[in-house]
Amino acid sequence: MAKSKGRLVSLDIFRGMTIAFMIIVNTPGSWKYVYPPLRHAQWHGCTPTDLVFPFFLFIVGVSIWFSMKKFGQELNSRSFFRILRRTVTIFALGLFLAIFPNFSRDYSTLRIMGVLQRIAIAYFFGAIICLTVNRDYLWIVIAVILIGYWILLAMLGGTDPYSIEGNFAARIDAAILGKNHLYKGFGVPFDPEGLFSTLPAVCTVLIGYYAGELIGKGSAGWNTALNSFCLEHHPPAWTFVEYLVSA
């Protein structure tokens, strides 16, 4: 969908749909009777609800492409200050919402991380990577981060590395943030929006940035991404696709 009055309408619609779904998930009416797709997976697995947060990160990545056009998609003093200012603002808002309205609370047990805090950190590192790494090599960065994250979990997570009690991410977060500042809704100190597990979240931002470039440089249409990917990376494959479409 084309841009209208300086905005990308398709991105606004996608953002609105994601927010609407988030509201439905957070306010189902009665927590005693909730449709399974509107609940997060207990641990292993994935439900539609688990896609809400990645959708927001993807939207962040797309937005980075359009917001950084004025800086030439380069990291300089002006673009870095913009990134840093937005990071601090989003992170501070997350902390404020965690504290509000009980400002006289015991801060020794304050949960430091949260949804907005993770978005801020993922935005910061995602934007820095996008503006410093050649776009043609972004997929390599994504692969290195994801494979490296998996190796660290598998090698350093103990006898049951993918359990909530034994995963390496929980140990890293506890060492940096302290157990008292982690989420305890699982019965053990573990933060689903922790520091270490933000690494794959950064990759979602990078994918969004890549999609933003395809949208920004290509013509609006359902086949924008397919055209760009096949023409730039797999010309023979695109010839085969054209043959199938026209057959």
Side-chain angles (χ1 to χ4, degrees):
M1 191 174 295
K3 291 183 289 184
S4 176
K5 296 181 179 180
R7 298 193 62 87
L8 184 64
V9 179
S10 57
L11 186 63
D12 285 338
I13 293 174
F14 183 49
R15 182 187 295 110
M17 293 173 62
T18 304
I19 293 175
F21 189 41
M22 178 191 67
I23 294 173
I24 294 174
V25 167
N26 290 337
T27 55
S30 172
W31 289 105
K32 294 182 179 179
Y33 306 99
V34 182
Y35 291 109
L38 298 182
R39 288 187 179 274
H40 288 286
Q42 288 297 318
W43 184 246
H44 297 293
C46 180
T47 71
T49 299
D50 295 315
L51 300 177
V52 173
F53 195 25
F55 283 168
F56 278 122
L57 293 173
F58 178 84
I59 291 169
V60 168
V62 176
S63 301
I64 290 175
W65 165 259
F66 289 98
S67 66
M68 292 298 158
K69 288 179 66 176
K70 66 183 68 175
F71 304 109
Q73 305 295 345
E74 295 180 355
L75 185 65
N76 48 50
S77 58
R78 293 177 61 240
S79 60
F80 180 77
F81 178 76
R82 171 69 66 86
I83 294 169
L84 183 62
R85 186 183 66 184
R86 289 184 173 181
T87 299
V88 173
T89 301
I90 297 171
F91 197 97
L93 284 174
L95 277 180
F96 175 80
L97 292 176
I99 300 170
F100 181 84
N102 186 17
F103 293 103
S104 59
R105 56 164 297 152
D106 181 9
Y107 286 90
S108 65
T109 60
L110 173 67
R111 181 190 175 197
I112 297 177
M113 294 299 293
V115 171
L116 287 179
Q117 293 91 315
R118 166 167 283 187
I119 290 177
I121 295 175
Y123 163 75
F124 178 81
F125 287 104
I128 295 298
I129 293 173
C130 290
L131 299 186
T132 55
V133 177
N134 187 297
R135 195 267 297 170
D136 292 334
Y137 302 111
L138 278 181
W139 69 271
I140 298 178
V141 176
I142 294 173
V144 169
I145 292 176
L146 293 179
I147 294 174
Y149 181 75
W150 170 70
I151 291 175
L152 290 174
L153 289 180
M155 300 293 293
L156 303 177
T159 56
D160 192 2
Y162 306 118
S163 66
I164 188 172
E165 298 85 1
N167 72 88
F168 182 63
R171 287 160 47 192
I172 291 294
D173 291 340
I176 297 176
L177 301 174
K179 292 184 178 180
N180 290 336
H181 297 289
L182 300 182
Y183 179 74
K184 299 179 180 65
F186 294 105
V188 295
F190 173 79
D191 207 313
E193 285 89 34
L195 287 174
F196 187 71
S197 56
T198 300
L199 284 174
V202 173
C203 295
T204 308
V205 174
L206 300 182
I207 294 172
Y209 179 84
Y210 185 81
E213 182 182 22
L214 295 181
I215 297 171
K217 288 187 175 180
S219 58
W222 66 269
N223 59 343
T224 297
L226 182 63
N227 285 346
S228 301
F229 180 79
C230 290
L231 286 175
E232 292 185 20
H233 300 284
H234 302 286
W238 180 236
T239 301
F240 179 67
V241 171
E242 284 185 318
Y243 169 77
L244 292 178
V245 173
S246 60

